[in-house]
Amino acid sequence: MRLGVLVSGKGSNLRNLVERGFEVAAVATNKPSCGGAAFARERGIPLGEFSQKTFASLEARDAAMRDWLLERALDLVINAGYDRILTGGFIAAFEDRMINIHPSLLPAFAGGMDSVAQALARGVKLSGCTVHIVTEEVDAGPILLQAAVPVLPDDTVETLHARIQVEEHRILPEAIEMLKNRIAPARAPLR
Ligand code: GRF
């Protein structure tokens, strides 16, 4: 199954997928200087760089990124720490073929880039992560898998996020395996 991965951050989920032997055929980023982009370069994975400053609008950037991904005959697109809301046109092009990993037990703490901090501030005793299908409503698509972790009294955003990421690295591959059996090989349907 040919995977496309969208990254803006350090790229630990991307690295984990590659190290587990998944076929990552393309990586796209809006932050060419991020860790995920550096990892793609290091491993020789085709990298699409779509810095917002080189495009007139969000729609123009997403259209370019969409077309670049569509050329790569991907079966599934994975949103692994991509930090911008994707436009409707982009999401429609990958309907039912794009998943997201989010660092909270959705529907709690949806919608933001600071979900871990929000969970900590709210004083929840359990947090975790969710893999879901991407739909136009942010963080609200059908849930595929979740994993819970305890929030400990001395946690900081960093320690809690690290505990959540251990689970992300387990359930994201598991969700991809689940979908492997559900979606037909997609050379054509992505176009
Ligand atoms: C993860 O915590 C993911 O849930 C969130 O962004 C973070 C990306 O981490 N959407 P990494 O860049 O894969 O390390």
Side-chain angles (χ1 to χ4, degrees):
M1 190 153 74
R2 288 170 62 82
L3 306 179
V5 183
L6 308 188
V7 293
S8 310
K10 68 180 191 292
S12 71
N13 280 287
L14 167 64
R15 176 183 289 271
N16 178 56
L17 293 178
V18 170
E19 284 173 356
R20 287 179 183 237
F22 285 90
E23 185 187 358
V24 178
V27 172
T29 189
N30 60 332
K31 296 241 166 70
S33 62
C34 76
F39 177 76
R41 282 184 207 104
E42 192 185 302
R43 296 294 175 108
I45 303 168
L47 174 68
E49 301 184 21
F50 301 93
S51 195
Q52 184 60 62
K53 60 176 186 272
T54 58
F55 294 94
S57 66
L58 210 61
E59 285 73 20
R61 190 261 302 281
D62 276 11
M65 189 160 76
R66 175 198 63 206
D67 292 348
W68 185 83
L69 289 165
L70 287 175
E71 278 164 22
R72 282 165 176 80
L74 304 169
D75 298 300
L76 186 67
V77 173
I78 295 150
N79 218 316
Y82 187 74
D83 68 358
R84 283 288 165 273
I85 293 189
L86 293 160
T87 53
F90 186 95
I91 292 170
F94 301 105
E95 196 181 358
D96 288 331
R97 290 186 179 277
M98 179 156 58
I99 62 176
N100 180 45
I101 175 97
H102 184 78
S104 77
L105 291 174
L106 290 173
F109 309 112
M113 287 308 297
D114 59 350
S115 311
V116 179
Q118 279 184 41
L120 207 54
R122 188 66 183 79
V124 297
K125 302 300 174 208
L126 268 183
S127 189
C129 50
T130 303
V131 182
H132 66 93
I133 308 262
V134 176
T135 55
E136 214 172 323
E137 199 184 335
V138 178
D139 293 335
I143 291 174
L144 295 171
L145 286 174
Q146 291 187 305
V149 302
V151 180
L152 303 179
D154 294 336
D155 265 338
T156 61
V157 172
E158 288 68 34
T159 58
L160 177 55
H161 196 195
R163 192 173 310 118
I164 291 172
Q165 287 220 284
V166 172
E167 295 303 311
E168 291 186 354
H169 298 162
R170 183 174 67 77
I171 68 169
L172 183 57
E174 220 176 295
I176 297 168
E177 290 293 347
M178 272 169 62
L179 290 175
K180 221 184 227 175
N181 308 320
R182 267 204 229 165
I183 57 179
R187 295 299 174 256
L190 274 183
R191 289 174 186 273

